Short mmCIF file of all heavy atoms in Angstrom, two decimals:
data_model
loop_
_atom_site.label_atom_id
_atom_site.label_comp_id
_atom_site.label_asym_id
_atom_site.label_seq_id
_atom_site.Cartn_x
_atom_site.Cartn_y
_atom_site.Cartn_z
N HIS C 972 -1.74 8.17 -5.27
CA HIS C 972 -0.90 9.07 -6.06
C HIS C 972 -0.87 10.52 -5.53
O HIS C 972 0.14 11.19 -5.66
CB HIS C 972 -1.28 9.02 -7.55
CG HIS C 972 -2.60 9.64 -7.88
ND1 HIS C 972 -3.80 9.10 -7.50
CD2 HIS C 972 -2.92 10.77 -8.55
CE1 HIS C 972 -4.79 9.85 -7.94
NE2 HIS C 972 -4.29 10.87 -8.58
N ALA C 973 -1.95 10.98 -4.92
CA ALA C 973 -1.92 12.35 -4.39
C ALA C 973 -1.13 12.44 -3.08
O ALA C 973 -0.72 13.54 -2.69
CB ALA C 973 -3.34 12.88 -4.19
N ALA C 974 -0.90 11.31 -2.42
CA ALA C 974 -0.14 11.35 -1.17
C ALA C 974 1.30 11.80 -1.43
O ALA C 974 1.90 12.48 -0.60
CB ALA C 974 -0.15 9.97 -0.50
N TYR C 975 1.85 11.43 -2.59
CA TYR C 975 3.21 11.89 -2.93
C TYR C 975 3.26 13.41 -3.05
O TYR C 975 4.29 14.02 -2.78
CB TYR C 975 3.68 11.28 -4.24
CG TYR C 975 3.82 9.79 -4.24
CD1 TYR C 975 2.85 8.96 -4.78
CD2 TYR C 975 4.96 9.18 -3.70
CE1 TYR C 975 2.98 7.59 -4.80
CE2 TYR C 975 5.11 7.80 -3.71
CZ TYR C 975 4.11 7.02 -4.25
OH TYR C 975 4.25 5.65 -4.26
N VAL C 976 2.17 13.99 -3.52
CA VAL C 976 2.12 15.45 -3.65
C VAL C 976 2.23 16.08 -2.27
O VAL C 976 2.88 17.11 -2.09
CB VAL C 976 0.82 15.87 -4.39
CG1 VAL C 976 0.73 17.38 -4.50
CG2 VAL C 976 0.76 15.22 -5.77
N ASN C 977 1.63 15.43 -1.27
CA ASN C 977 1.81 15.88 0.11
C ASN C 977 3.25 15.71 0.57
O ASN C 977 3.81 16.59 1.23
CB ASN C 977 0.90 15.08 1.05
CG ASN C 977 -0.56 15.47 0.92
OD1 ASN C 977 -0.89 16.56 0.47
ND2 ASN C 977 -1.45 14.58 1.33
N PHE C 978 3.86 14.58 0.24
CA PHE C 978 5.25 14.34 0.64
C PHE C 978 6.16 15.42 0.05
O PHE C 978 7.07 15.93 0.72
CB PHE C 978 5.73 12.96 0.19
CG PHE C 978 4.98 11.79 0.78
CD1 PHE C 978 5.08 10.52 0.21
CD2 PHE C 978 4.20 11.93 1.92
CE1 PHE C 978 4.43 9.44 0.75
CE2 PHE C 978 3.53 10.84 2.47
CZ PHE C 978 3.64 9.58 1.88
N LEU C 979 5.92 15.74 -1.21
CA LEU C 979 6.75 16.75 -1.88
C LEU C 979 6.63 18.10 -1.17
O LEU C 979 7.63 18.81 -0.99
CB LEU C 979 6.33 16.89 -3.36
CG LEU C 979 6.49 15.63 -4.24
CD1 LEU C 979 5.86 15.86 -5.62
CD2 LEU C 979 7.95 15.21 -4.39
N GLU C 980 5.42 18.43 -0.76
CA GLU C 980 5.20 19.71 -0.04
C GLU C 980 5.95 19.72 1.29
O GLU C 980 6.51 20.74 1.68
CB GLU C 980 3.71 19.94 0.22
CG GLU C 980 3.42 21.32 0.81
CD GLU C 980 2.53 21.30 2.04
OE1 GLU C 980 1.81 20.33 2.27
OE2 GLU C 980 2.58 22.28 2.81
N ARG C 981 5.92 18.59 1.99
CA ARG C 981 6.62 18.56 3.28
C ARG C 981 8.10 18.86 3.10
O ARG C 981 8.69 19.61 3.89
CB ARG C 981 6.47 17.17 3.93
CG ARG C 981 5.05 16.84 4.30
CD ARG C 981 5.01 15.49 5.02
NE ARG C 981 3.69 14.89 4.97
CZ ARG C 981 3.41 13.66 5.38
NH1 ARG C 981 4.37 12.89 5.88
NH2 ARG C 981 2.19 13.18 5.30
N ALA C 982 8.70 18.29 2.06
CA ALA C 982 10.13 18.53 1.82
C ALA C 982 10.39 19.99 1.48
O ALA C 982 11.37 20.59 1.95
CB ALA C 982 10.64 17.61 0.72
N ARG C 983 9.53 20.60 0.68
CA ARG C 983 9.73 22.02 0.33
C ARG C 983 9.62 22.90 1.57
O ARG C 983 10.41 23.83 1.77
CB ARG C 983 8.71 22.47 -0.73
CG ARG C 983 8.92 21.79 -2.08
CD ARG C 983 8.10 22.46 -3.17
NE ARG C 983 6.68 22.52 -2.87
CZ ARG C 983 5.78 21.59 -3.21
NH1 ARG C 983 6.16 20.51 -3.88
NH2 ARG C 983 4.52 21.75 -2.91
N THR C 984 8.63 22.60 2.40
CA THR C 984 8.42 23.39 3.62
C THR C 984 9.61 23.27 4.56
O THR C 984 10.07 24.26 5.13
CB THR C 984 7.12 22.95 4.32
OG1 THR C 984 6.03 23.16 3.43
CG2 THR C 984 6.87 23.75 5.60
N GLU C 985 10.14 22.04 4.71
CA GLU C 985 11.28 21.84 5.60
C GLU C 985 12.56 22.47 5.04
O GLU C 985 13.41 22.94 5.79
CB GLU C 985 11.50 20.35 5.88
CG GLU C 985 10.41 19.70 6.73
CD GLU C 985 10.28 20.29 8.14
OE1 GLU C 985 11.18 21.03 8.59
OE2 GLU C 985 9.25 20.05 8.78
N TRP C 986 12.67 22.49 3.72
CA TRP C 986 13.83 23.14 3.09
C TRP C 986 13.80 24.64 3.38
O TRP C 986 14.81 25.23 3.83
CB TRP C 986 13.78 22.87 1.58
CG TRP C 986 14.75 23.68 0.76
CD1 TRP C 986 16.12 23.66 0.85
CD2 TRP C 986 14.42 24.61 -0.27
NE1 TRP C 986 16.66 24.53 -0.07
CE2 TRP C 986 15.64 25.12 -0.78
CE3 TRP C 986 13.23 25.05 -0.84
CZ2 TRP C 986 15.68 26.06 -1.81
CZ3 TRP C 986 13.26 25.98 -1.87
CH2 TRP C 986 14.48 26.48 -2.34
N LEU C 987 12.64 25.27 3.19
CA LEU C 987 12.52 26.70 3.49
C LEU C 987 12.74 26.98 4.97
O LEU C 987 13.37 27.97 5.35
CB LEU C 987 11.15 27.23 3.05
CG LEU C 987 11.00 27.44 1.55
CD1 LEU C 987 9.54 27.69 1.18
CD2 LEU C 987 11.86 28.62 1.07
N ARG C 988 12.25 26.08 5.82
CA ARG C 988 12.46 26.26 7.25
C ARG C 988 13.94 26.21 7.59
O ARG C 988 14.43 27.01 8.37
CB ARG C 988 11.72 25.16 8.02
CG ARG C 988 11.75 25.35 9.54
CD ARG C 988 11.22 24.11 10.30
NE ARG C 988 10.09 23.47 9.68
CZ ARG C 988 8.84 23.89 9.78
NH1 ARG C 988 8.56 24.95 10.50
NH2 ARG C 988 7.88 23.25 9.16
N LYS C 989 14.65 25.28 6.94
CA LYS C 989 16.09 25.14 7.18
C LYS C 989 16.84 26.41 6.74
O LYS C 989 17.84 26.80 7.35
CB LYS C 989 16.62 23.93 6.41
CG LYS C 989 17.98 23.45 6.89
CD LYS C 989 18.50 22.36 5.96
CE LYS C 989 20.01 22.30 5.96
NZ LYS C 989 20.53 21.71 4.71
N LEU C 990 16.33 27.07 5.71
CA LEU C 990 16.94 28.33 5.26
C LEU C 990 16.56 29.49 6.19
O LEU C 990 17.07 30.60 6.05
CB LEU C 990 16.48 28.67 3.83
CG LEU C 990 16.92 27.72 2.72
CD1 LEU C 990 16.41 28.21 1.37
CD2 LEU C 990 18.44 27.55 2.69
N GLY C 991 15.63 29.23 7.11
CA GLY C 991 15.26 30.26 8.07
C GLY C 991 13.88 30.86 7.84
O GLY C 991 13.51 31.83 8.49
N PHE C 992 13.12 30.28 6.90
CA PHE C 992 11.86 30.89 6.52
C PHE C 992 10.70 29.91 6.67
O PHE C 992 10.33 29.23 5.72
CB PHE C 992 11.95 31.41 5.07
CG PHE C 992 13.13 32.30 4.85
CD1 PHE C 992 14.24 31.85 4.13
CD2 PHE C 992 13.16 33.58 5.40
CE1 PHE C 992 15.34 32.67 3.95
CE2 PHE C 992 14.26 34.40 5.22
CZ PHE C 992 15.36 33.94 4.49
N ASP C 993 10.17 29.85 7.87
CA ASP C 993 8.96 29.04 8.02
C ASP C 993 7.76 29.86 7.57
O ASP C 993 7.90 31.04 7.20
CB ASP C 993 8.81 28.49 9.45
CG ASP C 993 8.64 29.58 10.49
OD1 ASP C 993 8.47 30.76 10.12
OD2 ASP C 993 8.69 29.26 11.69
N HIS C 994 6.60 29.24 7.59
CA HIS C 994 5.38 29.88 7.12
C HIS C 994 5.12 31.20 7.86
O HIS C 994 4.74 32.21 7.26
CB HIS C 994 4.21 28.91 7.32
CG HIS C 994 2.88 29.51 7.08
ND1 HIS C 994 2.43 29.86 5.82
CD2 HIS C 994 1.88 29.84 7.94
CE1 HIS C 994 1.22 30.38 5.92
NE2 HIS C 994 0.86 30.37 7.18
N ARG C 995 5.35 31.19 9.19
CA ARG C 995 5.08 32.42 9.96
C ARG C 995 5.99 33.56 9.53
O ARG C 995 5.55 34.71 9.43
CB ARG C 995 5.30 32.15 11.46
CG ARG C 995 4.03 31.61 12.11
CD ARG C 995 4.28 31.04 13.49
NE ARG C 995 3.54 29.78 13.59
CZ ARG C 995 3.41 29.05 14.69
NH1 ARG C 995 3.99 29.43 15.81
NH2 ARG C 995 2.72 27.95 14.68
N ALA C 996 7.25 33.27 9.25
CA ALA C 996 8.17 34.30 8.78
C ALA C 996 7.73 34.80 7.41
O ALA C 996 7.72 36.01 7.14
CB ALA C 996 9.59 33.75 8.72
N LEU C 997 7.36 33.88 6.53
CA LEU C 997 6.96 34.27 5.17
C LEU C 997 5.76 35.21 5.22
O LEU C 997 5.73 36.25 4.56
CB LEU C 997 6.65 33.04 4.32
CG LEU C 997 7.82 32.10 4.05
CD1 LEU C 997 7.35 30.88 3.25
CD2 LEU C 997 8.96 32.81 3.31
N VAL C 998 4.76 34.83 6.02
CA VAL C 998 3.55 35.64 6.12
C VAL C 998 3.78 36.89 6.96
O VAL C 998 3.44 38.00 6.55
CB VAL C 998 2.39 34.80 6.72
CG1 VAL C 998 1.19 35.68 7.07
CG2 VAL C 998 1.97 33.70 5.75
N GLY C 999 4.38 36.69 8.14
CA GLY C 999 4.49 37.80 9.10
C GLY C 999 5.53 38.84 8.70
O GLY C 999 5.28 40.05 8.77
N THR C 1000 6.70 38.39 8.25
CA THR C 1000 7.79 39.32 7.93
C THR C 1000 7.66 39.85 6.51
O THR C 1000 7.93 41.02 6.25
CB THR C 1000 9.16 38.62 8.10
OG1 THR C 1000 9.19 38.01 9.38
CG2 THR C 1000 10.31 39.61 7.96
N PHE C 1001 7.27 38.96 5.59
CA PHE C 1001 7.35 39.32 4.17
C PHE C 1001 5.98 39.49 3.51
O PHE C 1001 5.90 40.00 2.39
CB PHE C 1001 8.16 38.27 3.42
CG PHE C 1001 9.59 38.13 3.92
CD1 PHE C 1001 9.97 37.02 4.66
CD2 PHE C 1001 10.52 39.13 3.66
CE1 PHE C 1001 11.28 36.89 5.12
CE2 PHE C 1001 11.83 39.01 4.12
CZ PHE C 1001 12.21 37.89 4.85
N GLY C 1002 4.93 38.99 4.15
CA GLY C 1002 3.60 39.11 3.55
C GLY C 1002 3.42 38.28 2.29
O GLY C 1002 2.64 38.63 1.41
N ILE C 1003 4.17 37.19 2.22
CA ILE C 1003 4.08 36.34 1.02
C ILE C 1003 3.81 34.89 1.39
O ILE C 1003 3.98 34.48 2.54
CB ILE C 1003 5.39 36.37 0.20
CG1 ILE C 1003 6.58 35.89 1.09
CG2 ILE C 1003 5.66 37.74 -0.38
CD1 ILE C 1003 7.58 35.05 0.36
#
Side-chain angles (χ1 to χ4, degrees):
Chain C
H972 71 291
Y975 296 100
V976 178
N977 287 338
F978 297 164
L979 298 172
E980 187 229 340
R981 295 184 201 172
R983 293 192 304 269
T984 300
E985 291 298 346
W986 169 61
L987 284 169
R988 186 190 321 280
K989 197 187 153 204
L990 295 181
F992 308 106
D993 63 9
H994 171 70
R995 273 167 223 187
L997 296 177
V998 169
T1000 309
F1001 299 107
I1003 58 142

